[in-house]
Amino acid sequence: MEFASAIKVACVNGEPAGRHYDGFRPVAFPSVSSAGPDGAQRRQPAKAPLFSSPPPLRLFSSAPRLRLSPSEEKTRYDTDHIELFRQESYFAYLFGVVEPGFYGAIGYDPWGADCNGQAFGLLPQGLAFEPPYGHLHDKIHRFLLSKDCRDIASGKSILFAPRLPDDYAVWLGEIKPLNYFKEKYMVEMMYYTDEIAEVLQDVYQESHKPLLFLLHGLNTDSNNFSKPAEFQGIDKFETDLTTLHPILTECRVIKSDLELALIQFANGISSEAHVEVMRKVRVGMKEYQLESMFLHHTYMYGGCRHCSYTCICATGGNSSVLHYGHAAAPNDRTLEDGDMALLDMGAEYNFYGSDITCSFPVNGKFTFDQSLIYNAVLDAHNAVIASMKPGACWVDMHKLAEKIILESLTRAGILVGNVDDMMSERVGALFMPHGLGHFLGIDTHDPGGYSKGLERPKEPGLKSLRTIRELQEGMVITVEPGCYFIDALWVSAMEKSNIARFLNHEAIRRFKGFGGVRIESDLYITANGCKNMTNVPREIHEIEAVMAGAPWPLDKVSIYSAVNGEENKSGNI
C-alpha cells in the first residue's frame, strides 16, 4: 500500500476512543449559556476521559521521533506590546498546547517489522492528547505505515516547557510546575526546553546520531515555508527536512469525528451570529458595526476569542472587493438604502474555524436586479452541494458553478451567445475570479490542496483554485460561488474581442456600482454525499422574513407574521 493510501485508510478507520461530544459543545471547555438555532439551550454532555486508561507507550533505544519548531509570542514592532498569541497550526493539530514556547517529542519502536534505519521524532510547541488531539498516535502510526514499519509497539510523548523567570509570576501569573502540563496535556514525560538535547540523547542511547524529522514544507496557499525547529545542541542529531511535512499535511485533510465536532460548533455559533447581524442591520449604520455585532455574539455566547480570518463586511460597491476589510479598506463605509451587503465572517473555537458568507439587502427587501444576481449564485451554490460526494472532481464542481451563473446571466440578457462557448473562453472568471472553495480546519485555508504531483491550472479563474483534488469522505471544504461586477476586470474584458462579444454592454452598465454576491457554506464530505454544517437563511423569502423579525429557523407562523409586517416579539434567533 502506498503511504498516501495508508494515511487515508488510517484516518477514516483508525479513530481512537475519545472524549464524547454531544450537540455543538465539546465537554473539555466550560459551559457557556447559549440558545441554539431553535431557541433551546444546548445540552452539556457528561465528561468522559480521553482514554479509559492511558494507551501503552514504550520508547526503545532505536526509536523514530518527530519534531516541530515552537511558536513564540510577538511584540508590535519595536514596542513591548505583546500581540495575542495563537498557536502554530501544525503544532496545535498534533498537541493542542495553547501556551507559547513549547517543544514536544514522540518516540516510536518500528522494530518487529522489516524497517530500515533508526529515527527520532521531535515536535516543538507542545504535545497533547486533549480533544481533539487524542488521535496523535494514529497520525504517527500512519507515517510509520508509509515506511513499511508495521507492528509498531508505541511511542512515549515528551513535552518541553520554557523555563520562566521569577518575574513572570508578578506580571503574568502563576508559574505552573512541570507536572501541571504533564497532566493537562497527558504526556508521558515533561522537561524544560533547555534540556532537549540532553533528554533526547539519554532516551536514545546509541553510538550514532539519532534522526530528527523536522517540519519544513511549502504552504501552497501562501507560498510560504514552515520553519523547522531549532534548539541548542541540534548539531548532535541527524535531521530530515522533507519527510514530515507532506505526511502531516495529508493527515490534516481528513477530519476525525472530534475535529468535526469543533468545526460544527464554530459553524453553529457563527451561523447564529450571522442571523443576529442580519436581523439588526439598519440603513445608516457603519460596516464596522456589523463586524462588532458578529464578534460580540461569537465571543459572548461561544467563547470564541479568535476569528478564523479578518471579517469582510462589505456593502455597496465594496462587495466586489474580494478581500475587503483589511487595514486599507477597514469596514468603515456607511450603509445606504438599496445597498447589498456581503458579510464573510467566521469564528474560531479551540483552534478550529468556520467560514460563512451571507449576502442580503441592507433595507431587508430585494430589488429585481438584486434577486436576479442573488438567485444565480444561490442556484450555483445548491447545484454544487447536490453534486458533491466522494470521487467528485473539484475542478468539475467549479466549472458547474460557473456554468450555472453564466446560464442565469444569459437568461437575464446580461450575456449573449452560447454558454458552452463562454466556458471555453473562460468568461466565467470575469464574474467569479476566485476559486469555488477551500479545505477548512485549523486554518481557514487548510493545507493539502495540492499534494505531490498536482499542478495548479493556468487558466483564468481555475488558477485561483486552492485545490484540484477529488473529494474524499472526511474532507471539510467550503462552497462559495460568487458573481461580482469588478470595474478592474471589465476594462480589460471590453478590449478583448473573444470576451466582449458575449457582453451586453448596456445591461452591464446597469450593474456598475452594484458590487457582488457571494454565498458560502462549509461542507463535510460523507460516504454518499455531503453534510452542510452551516445553518443560515439562504432563500430570498427566508432572508426577508428573518430581517423582518421572524425567528430562525422559520415556521409557517413566522413567515406569515413577517410577510404581514408583524415583528417577532420572542427574541428567538
Side-chain angles (χ1 to χ4, degrees):
M1 180 185 292
E2 295 182 355
F3 84 85
S5 299
I7 289 173
K8 297 165 188 173
V9 170
C11 191
V12 174
N13 299 327
E15 184 69 17
R19 187 167 301 190
H20 300 288
Y21 286 78
D22 189 4
F24 286 131
R25 187 172 302 285
V27 303
F29 291 84
S31 170
V32 179
S33 177
S34 175
D38 58 356
Q41 293 295 311
R42 291 192 182 90
R43 292 178 293 168
Q44 302 300 318
K47 292 188 177 182
L50 180 61
F51 295 101
S52 57
S53 60
L57 300 175
R58 295 170 57 201
L59 186 61
F60 291 79
S61 59
S62 297
R65 292 166 177 80
L66 311 178
R67 176 183 179 73
L68 301 173
S69 59
S71 299
E72 300 290 348
E73 289 181 312
K74 296 180 180 179
T75 59
R76 181 181 293 174
Y77 302 108
D78 62 344
T79 74
D80 63 353
H81 171 74
I82 299 176
E83 304 284 0
L84 179 62
F85 175 75
R86 197 274 195 183
Q87 187 59 264
E88 192 278 329
S89 294
Y90 281 95
F91 199 79
Y93 172 71
L94 288 175
F95 307 129
V97 171
V98 299
E99 299 88 354
F102 279 63
Y103 286 74
I106 310 167
Y108 305 97
D109 173 30
W111 311 114
D114 183 16
C115 181
N116 296 321
Q118 295 86 12
F120 185 105
L122 182 62
L123 302 162
Q125 194 46 48
L127 176 61
F129 291 133
E130 188 165 352
Y133 314 102
H135 53 293
L136 170 62
H137 283 278
D138 180 51
K139 307 296 184 184
I140 302 307
H141 287 185
R142 272 174 261 165
F143 158 65
L144 292 173
L145 284 171
S146 75
K147 293 293 188 180
D148 291 326
C149 303
R150 300 175 178 84
D151 299 328
I152 303 159
S154 62
K156 278 190 176 179
S157 51
I158 312 172
L159 187 60
F160 299 91
R163 198 185 295 270
L164 302 173
D166 292 341
D167 279 356
Y168 184 99
V170 177
W171 297 96
L172 296 172
E174 179 186 359
I175 298 177
K176 302 292 196 305
L178 292 180
N179 194 55
Y180 167 84
F181 294 110
K182 181 180 179 182
E183 293 181 359
K184 178 179 180 181
Y185 295 118
M186 302 173 71
V187 294
E188 270 56 51
M189 293 181 280
M190 190 76 216
Y191 298 95
Y192 288 110
T193 53
D194 55 17
E195 302 174 298
I196 291 176
E198 179 184 357
V199 169
L200 296 186
Q201 285 184 316
D202 287 345
V203 169
Y204 194 79
Q205 294 180 350
E206 287 288 342
S207 57
H208 53 275
K209 288 184 177 181
L211 173 62
L212 296 179
F213 291 100
L214 307 181
L215 187 73
H216 179 68
L218 178 68
N219 183 304
T220 57
D221 288 306
S222 66
N223 285 322
N224 294 327
F225 283 86
S226 55
K227 181 182 177 182
E230 296 178 356
F231 64 97
Q232 188 172 4
I234 196 172
D235 58 316
K236 299 175 182 177
F237 300 84
E238 297 289 346
T239 58
D240 179 315
L241 294 176
T242 61
T243 299
L244 184 58
H245 188 272
I247 292 169
L248 287 183
T249 297
E250 188 66 19
C251 289
R252 287 178 60 179
V253 170
I254 306 298
K255 293 344 187 240
S256 71
D257 288 345
L258 300 177
E259 292 177 283
L260 290 171
L262 292 177
I263 297 172
Q264 182 60 78
F265 177 76
N267 257 269
I269 195 66
S270 296
S271 295
E272 287 183 6
H274 270 281
V275 173
E276 184 73 3
V277 173
M278 193 178 292
R279 179 172 291 115
K280 292 182 177 179
V281 64
R282 296 290 185 272
V283 172
M285 283 183 169
K286 291 287 190 178
E287 291 168 335
Y288 58 71
Q289 290 180 278
L290 313 186
E291 177 181 13
S292 175
M293 285 188 279
F294 179 88
L295 296 175
H296 170 75
H297 189 95
T298 56
Y299 201 177
M300 181 75 175
Y301 300 109
C304 301
R305 193 175 192 185
H306 292 277
C307 247
S308 298
Y309 50 92
T310 302
C311 291
I312 298 172
C313 294
T315 61
N318 291 342
S319 57
S320 67
V321 181
L322 301 182
H323 283 172
Y324 182 75
H326 55 87
N331 294 332
D332 61 355
R333 181 179 178 273
T334 302
L335 279 59
E336 298 180 5
D337 193 19
D339 283 346
M340 278 292 287
L342 187 159
L343 306 186
D344 188 340
M345 303 181 287
E348 176 183 302
Y349 184 77
N350 194 24
F351 300 125
Y352 283 82
S354 58
D355 192 352
I356 301 171
T357 305
C358 296
S359 297
F360 53 87
V362 299
N363 63 11
K365 291 291 183 181
F366 282 82
T367 66
F368 176 83
D369 283 347
Q370 288 171 344
S371 298
L372 190 160
I373 302 303
Y374 184 88
N375 280 329
V377 177
L378 181 63
D379 289 346
H381 171 272
N382 293 345
V384 168
I385 291 176
S387 302
M388 289 171 62
K389 61 183 179 180
C393 174
W394 195 242
V395 177
D396 293 341
M397 297 295 98
H398 180 95
K399 290 181 177 179
L400 173 62
E402 280 186 331
K403 187 172 185 179
I404 289 175
I405 291 172
L406 292 175
E407 288 173 343
S408 296
L409 297 180
T410 301
R411 287 194 298 270
I414 297 172
L415 298 177
V416 294
N418 182 274
V419 172
D420 289 334
D421 292 340
M422 297 179 198
M423 293 290 292
S424 298
E425 296 293 345
R426 302 299 308 135
V427 175
L430 180 62
F431 296 92
M432 188 174 77
H434 59 73
L436 176 63
H438 51 82
F439 292 144
L440 175 71
I442 286 186
D443 288 316
T444 306
H445 298 155
D446 231 24
Y450 287 89
S451 51
K452 187 176 181 180
L454 295 180
E455 293 187 7
R456 187 181 293 274
K458 295 180 173 55
E459 299 95 326
L462 299 180
K463 66 183 180 182
S464 298
L465 283 167
R466 296 185 185 274
T467 184
I468 59 172
R469 296 177 62 157
E470 291 186 354
L471 298 178
Q472 296 173 250
E473 182 180 0
M475 287 179 172
V476 175
I477 192 166
T478 66
V479 174
E480 49 181 303
C483 182
Y484 315 87
F485 295 85
I486 303 173
D487 289 343
L489 294 180
W490 289 113
V491 172
S492 59
M494 297 295 187
E495 298 173 352
K496 298 177 181 178
S497 59
N498 63 319
I499 301 295
R501 64 190 176 101
F502 297 111
L503 308 179
N504 181 337
H505 298 260
E506 182 178 347
I508 288 175
R509 279 194 293 271
R510 190 169 90 233
F511 287 89
K512 183 176 178 60
F514 176 90
V517 169
R518 181 164 64 251
I519 301 173
E520 180 179 16
S521 301
D522 302 339
L523 281 299
Y524 160 55
I525 307 303
T526 64
N528 302 310
C530 63
K531 174 190 174 184
N532 194 339
M533 307 176 84
T534 304
N535 181 21
V536 294
R538 291 304 192 195
E539 301 291 338
I540 286 179
H541 75 273
E542 294 175 338
I543 294 171
E544 291 185 343
V546 167
M547 294 186 74
W552 178 254
L554 298 181
D555 53 38
K556 292 182 180 179
V557 174
S558 301
I559 297 174
Y560 176 84
S561 299
V563 169
N564 288 276
E566 299 175 19
E567 288 197 11
N568 168 50
K569 304 298 183 183
S570 68
N572 291 338
I573 293 176

